[in-house]
Amino acid sequence: MSGRLIYLMGPSGAGKDTILQGVSRMMGNRALLAQRIVTRGPGAADDGALAVTEPEFLQMEQVGLLAMSWRAHGLAYGILRHIDERLAAGQDVLINGSRGYLPIALERYRTLMPVLVCVKPQLLQERLRRRGRETEAQIQARLVRNAAMDEIPERCLARLVRIDNSERPSDAVQALYAQLQQRPVDALIDKHL
């Protein structure tokens, strides 16, 4: 029996890592919170991410260490290949994914559960400013991109789970955990995807 690939997407500042960590704690050993690899300078990586250089990332891709890899916002992101073994063993895997990479991920993983984390635009703007990683122009570009849902393939909208993280993060964690309890692996497998 395969585990579910719980694939969180959403804008930077939406609180995806906080939600993933909370759900991971609730699920215990039933789930693996996969570490994300990112080509961001040391100390600047997201919570739980491993920062590597661009040459290191390319080497990881070339030798087959990554199950998934994509580029966004001038950075490279990846998920280590060991998630495939965990999924095959029936363990759920939680990842911080990308809307742009979703079509490829859907092709590779039949038990993928797409989860979109939403945040009110004003709150998202405040969060992005507070963390201080982007310029004002980059923040505005992220807000525009967040408003456009064209990166979510229409074929997966029916199985898309939306989680609002505009209030307390613990509410979003509880909401996702409840959705996971309601959607077994069999409900995710769609022969048309």
Side-chain angles (χ1 to χ4, degrees):
M1 175 180 208
S2 294
R4 296 170 294 185
L5 179 64
I6 301 148
Y7 188 94
L8 256 72
M9 305 166 286
S12 292
K16 297 181 299 290
D17 289 320
T18 299
I19 294 169
L20 286 168
Q21 291 164 6
V23 170
S24 176
R25 281 191 297 275
M26 292 180 81
M27 294 183 74
N29 63 6
R30 293 177 291 151
L32 167 71
L33 175 53
Q35 185 175 43
R36 189 163 67 158
I37 310 299
V38 61
T39 56
R40 193 175 272 144
D46 301 328
D47 290 340
L50 174 63
V52 298
T53 65
E54 183 69 29
E56 289 170 331
F57 190 91
L58 292 172
Q59 179 69 19
M60 294 173 86
E61 281 183 310
Q62 290 169 355
V63 299
L65 291 177
L66 301 177
M68 297 181 226
S69 62
W70 63 91
R71 289 358 184 229
H73 310 295
L75 301 171
Y77 298 88
I79 304 293
L80 293 171
R81 177 149 310 281
H82 74 284
I83 69 164
D84 294 340
E85 296 165 6
R86 299 295 186 95
L87 289 166
Q91 189 176 28
D92 289 337
V93 174
L94 302 156
I95 71 162
N96 185 338
S98 161
R99 286 178 284 180
Y101 188 77
L102 180 60
I104 297 167
L106 283 167
E107 293 296 324
R108 293 206 53 226
Y109 296 96
R110 293 183 65 215
T111 61
L112 186 144
M113 180 177 172
V115 178
L116 181 64
V117 179
C118 305
V119 177
K120 293 176 184 169
Q122 184 176 351
L123 179 58
L124 181 60
Q125 185 175 26
E126 290 170 15
R127 288 179 183 174
L128 290 171
R129 283 181 178 149
R130 266 197 314 263
R131 77 178 186 179
R133 277 194 218 145
E134 295 95 355
T135 66
E136 189 61 31
Q138 290 170 323
I139 290 171
Q140 293 307 314
R142 284 184 181 274
L143 293 171
V144 168
R145 180 173 174 261
N146 183 48
M149 293 297 297
D150 55 357
E151 290 182 317
I152 305 290
E154 188 173 327
R155 63 189 175 149
C156 87
L157 289 177
R159 59 197 276 194
L160 181 70
V161 173
R162 294 174 193 267
I163 300 294
D164 186 355
N165 193 24
S166 298
E167 302 298 329
R168 295 181 311 174
S170 59
D171 294 341
V173 169
Q174 288 290 341
L176 179 54
Y177 184 74
Q179 286 290 329
L180 294 174
Q181 302 315 302
Q182 297 171 16
R183 293 180 184 229
V185 171
D186 296 346
L188 296 175
I189 298 175
D190 183 342
K191 293 180 177 139
H192 301 293
L193 290 179

